[in-house]
Structure formats: structure tokens, C-alpha cells
Amino acid sequence: MSATSIQSARPSRRIGAWTLQGILAAAFLAAGVAKLAGAPFMVDIFEQIGLGQGFRIVTGVVEVAGAVALLFPGLASIGALWLGGTMVGAVATHLFVLHSSPAPAIVLGVLNAVVVYLRRDELVALLQRIKG
């Protein structure tokens, strides 16, 4: 079975993908900017995590970069994969370090997985380019 290009897909699939990407981009941009700006609640959370405030900055950069990638055709699948992986780490952190609910990270991770699925043609094309 070959991957279907998002450009040749039904309009509802394209609109759904772009809508979901926009929502995710806004959520991750807001979270990333809050981390980078040193919002007190983010500073407190990262203090509890115990890896230092540099980890907060790195996480903020990862989230902002992923959010921007979600908005560019050709990069959206990579951005969603990148952010989905980040949410795996967030779920583990909530469960094993913070002992708090991982539900928001799970939801964001699943939504990123949906974007990866909808944009799987981009990943296939990228892998083909890498292989030469």
C-alpha cells in the first residue's frame, strides 16, 4: 500500500490535517514561549523535575521549533514526530518524577501521532531522499 499525498487527498483530509496542525502549533508555541520566558509555574515545574533550568530552555526550544515545523508543508510530519517523541518524555516525567496526571501530554502525543499518520507521505518522501 502506498502513501497517499496530502495534496491529492480529499479536501476534508487536507482541512482536517491543517486544522489539527494549527491547534497543535498554537499549543506548543504557547508552552514553549512560557518555558523560554521563565513563567513562574514553568520554573517551578522544572525545579521539581530536578534537571536544572537549562532543561526548561532546551524543552522550550524543542517545542517552539516543533510548532513552527507543523506550519510548513514538508516539515509538518517531522515536527509532529519530534513533538510526539517529546510527549513520550513528558508522560514519563509526569508519571515517574512529578507524580501528576500525564493526561494532557498523552492527548498531545496522540494528536501528534494523528498528524504523522495524515502526513506519512512526507516521511516516506524524506526517507527516499535520504537514501538517495
Side-chain angles (χ1 to χ4, degrees), residues 43-55:
V43 171
D44 290 343
I45 288 172
F46 280 83
E47 189 65 34
Q48 292 173 34
I49 292 170
L51 294 177
Q53 294 301 312
F55 185 60

Side-chain angles (χ1 to χ4, degrees), residues 21-37 39 41-42 45-46 49 55-71 78-91 93-94 104-105 108-109 112:
Q21 288 165 225
I23 291 167
L24 286 169
F28 280 101
L29 185 63
V33 167
K35 288 173 180 77
L36 293 172
F41 71 97
M42 289 295 183
I45 288 172
F46 280 83
I49 292 170
F55 185 60
R56 173 180 52 83
I57 300 299
V58 169
T59 304
V61 169
V62 164
E63 290 178 344
V64 169
V68 170
L70 282 171
L71 300 176
I78 297 298
L81 195 59
W82 172 271
L83 292 169
T86 303
M87 290 302 95
V88 170
V91 168
T93 300
H94 279 283
L108 289 170
N112 276 292

Side-chain angles (χ1 to χ4, degrees), residues 10 12-13 20 27 30 56 59 69 80 84 86 91 96-98 103 107 112-114 117 122 125 129:
R10 293 174 298 172
S12 61
R13 179 174 166 202
L20 182 54
R56 173 180 52 83
T59 304
T86 303
V91 168
F96 302 116
V97 178
L98 298 173
V107 169
N112 276 292
V114 170
Y117 175 76
E122 292 176 6
R129 278 183 268 158

